[in-house]
Amino acid sequence: MGALENIHKENTDFSHLAKIHPCLGGEAHATFGRIHLPVSPTCNIQCKFCKRDCNSDEERPGVANGILAPEDAVETVRKALELCPQITVVGIAGPGDTLATPYALETFRLVNEAYPNLVKCLSTNGLLLARYAQDLYDAGVRTVTVTVNAVESDILSQINSSVVLDGQVYCGKEAAVKLIAAQLEGIRLASKLGMVVKVNSVLIPGINEDHIGLIAKTVKEAGASLYNIIPLIPQHKLSHIPAPTCEQLNQARETAETQLEVFRHCKHCRADACGIPGQLDLSYKLYGTLKRLETFSHG
Ligand code: CLF
Ligand code: SF4
């Protein structure tokens, strides 16, 4: 832990963070770990491929063993560091959207007080990012991932069916327009505040596969520094679409790379992942006793 304490130095500089954060494209993906705290139960949008669930068998985003209460987060991080001292990042990535409920922010505040030197990382659909960017920064969050699946409403409305904003439900194109504007504003604000912004896109053959270059260009202009393209897991309303082939995925990554650095080591973590991505999975050891819930989502 002694050597790691030096590494756990807070810093908003991308190159420094890339050395210690397993998802920022540096060598750190094989060396350092992250713990995800599944404190966010619900979502404020509906992606057509998203089937939120709660179980301990599936390895995909959107799934967690159960929901953790913010007041249990510090003790959970302590246990996780005991199990895996290589953990440098505390992430909140769902299973619902992390900003749809106040629990992620509350959790980051508590964890930041107890562990100011761990990197705090948030993953969100971006609908409420602009609204909470300053609060997140003040709670120690320095890396943010926003899932942007399209930057044109015609395309996004094929991927997302609705958005709930301030008690109002928006559907179809209207929802897509709102979501795209909110995401780009959130990325602008978060990066302006000094947070490193990574964008995730789910690659959906026949829908956004020829749109990746424009997404990369647009989010880069808004302030994103890194891009991660994730293959569709065909399910829910998009279960009829086949997952992209390796060629399609590589093609999309190459196109994106003309605009923005591309992260290629993503392991499609669960919302309650713990350990070194792709190498050491301790989530069952850490969360095995969490009560299972019926349904929820991923952010
Ligand atoms: Fe977690 Fe995501 Fe932060 Fe990483 S995961 S919130 S940025 S600490 Fe990483 Fe997992 Fe891929 Fe995410 S390998 S799914 S990119
Ligand atoms: Fe989309 Fe994530 Fe919400 Fe599911 S939980 S609907 S993937 S933003």
Side-chain angles (χ1 to χ4, degrees), residues 43-47 49-52 95-97 125 297-299:
C43 194
N44 43 17
I45 71 173
Q46 181 60 61
C47 301
F49 55 75
C50 177
K51 185 168 158 270
R52 277 105 70 167
D97 184 64
N125 61 34
S297 56
H298 148 81

Side-chain angles (χ1 to χ4, degrees), residues 8 41 49 55 62 74 99 109 117 153 172 179 182 209 254-255 270 276:
H8 286 159
F49 55 75
N55 66 56
V74 169
L99 298 176
R109 287 186 181 127
N117 295 330
S153 56
L179 184 55
E209 72 175 300
E254 274 168 31
T255 306
R270 289 168 54 102
I276 300 174

Side-chain angles (χ1 to χ4, degrees), residues 21 23 34 36 89 91-93 121-123 145 198 200 228 263 265-269 277:
H21 191 307
C23 315
R34 45 78 189 104
H36 283 172
V89 179
I92 303 183
C121 184
L122 175 100
S123 177
T145 297
K198 168 162 95 22
N200 281 1
N228 178 23
F263 174 60
H265 301 285
C266 180
K267 297 293 182 276
H268 317 142
C269 309

